Amino acid sequence: MRIGQSIDIHPLKEGRDLILGGVKIPYEYGLDGHSDADVLVHTISECILGALALGDLGSHFPDTDPRYRGISSILLLEEVKKKMFRHQYRIGNIDATILAEKPKMAPYIEQMRINIANALECSTEAISIKATRGEKLGFVGRKEGIVAMSVCLLEENK
């Protein structure tokens, strides 16, 4: 067994789509970044890489590489899954939390779980996603950005 954890933060920006867990969420702002800036999928990808002791997401998919400009983070997660499989591991479980003042995440969480489980070739029962607000505190509460945190347990593929 291996355990990984990660946190990711992206600022909100006008004129961008808000993509979380591979779901396009209707909102007046989106997350700013080189790819689609899916902070949830980024943190899940990076916690898997961390569990495998393979470094961070940027070392595999640098924001200086034009190939990754605007790319779906779900595609990056699928590449991380391939690395995980090559190292003979599979998902035991993932527990992730989104911190966002707005919009409400509850209507989209089940589809996020499905998208992530499909990308990782695991059961949705292995994927937990929760959301909480900033309660008007800090940059999350002021609606300046969104944070996601995750932990994963990888099991050996025998």
Side-chain angles (χ1 to χ4, degrees):
M1 272 188 259
R2 289 180 167 246
I3 297 170
Q5 63 85 35
S6 182
I7 184 169
D8 197 25
I9 303 166
H10 282 268
L12 286 162
K13 181 179 179 182
E14 281 188 89
R16 296 265 308 187
D17 290 333
L18 179 59
I19 310 289
L20 290 168
V23 177
K24 185 176 176 183
I25 298 171
Y27 190 54
E28 59 191 303
Y29 301 101
L31 291 169
D32 194 18
H34 186 71
S35 66
D36 64 4
D38 187 331
V39 70
L40 175 62
V41 174
H42 287 184
T43 190
I44 290 170
S45 297
E46 191 162 78
C47 81
I48 294 168
L49 290 170
L52 296 169
L54 294 177
D56 64 16
L57 196 62
S59 65
H60 294 271
F61 311 104
D63 63 7
T64 55
D65 190 330
R67 291 180 297 168
Y68 304 121
R69 165 69 66 204
I71 194 169
S72 165
S73 295
I74 291 288
L75 294 176
L76 301 180
L77 182 60
E78 290 172 351
E79 290 302 312
V80 168
K81 172 200 62 186
K82 292 175 188 175
K83 294 175 192 298
M84 178 181 67
F85 285 173
R86 277 196 299 274
H87 282 83
Q88 310 257 321
Y89 283 90
R90 68 177 184 273
I91 298 297
N93 75 298
I94 293 172
D95 187 21
T97 304
I98 303 165
L99 289 85
E101 192 68 24
K102 286 191 175 181
K104 292 218 178 271
M105 298 292 146
Y108 310 103
I109 286 178
E110 189 58 30
Q111 188 60 54
M112 292 177 194
R113 291 177 67 221
I114 290 167
N115 293 347
I116 291 164
N118 286 343
L120 292 172
E121 296 182 34
C122 69
S123 167
T124 56
E125 293 176 8
I127 309 296
S128 170
I129 300 171
K130 305 170 302 299
T132 190
R133 295 178 40 231
E135 301 297 335
K136 300 183 180 163
L137 297 173
F139 72 89
V140 171
R142 291 188 301 269
K143 299 179 262 183
E144 295 171 3
I146 294 178
V147 178
M149 303 178 294
S150 64
V151 294
C152 70
L153 176 69
L154 303 186
E155 299 174 338
E156 287 185 75
N157 237 350
K158 297 179 182 180

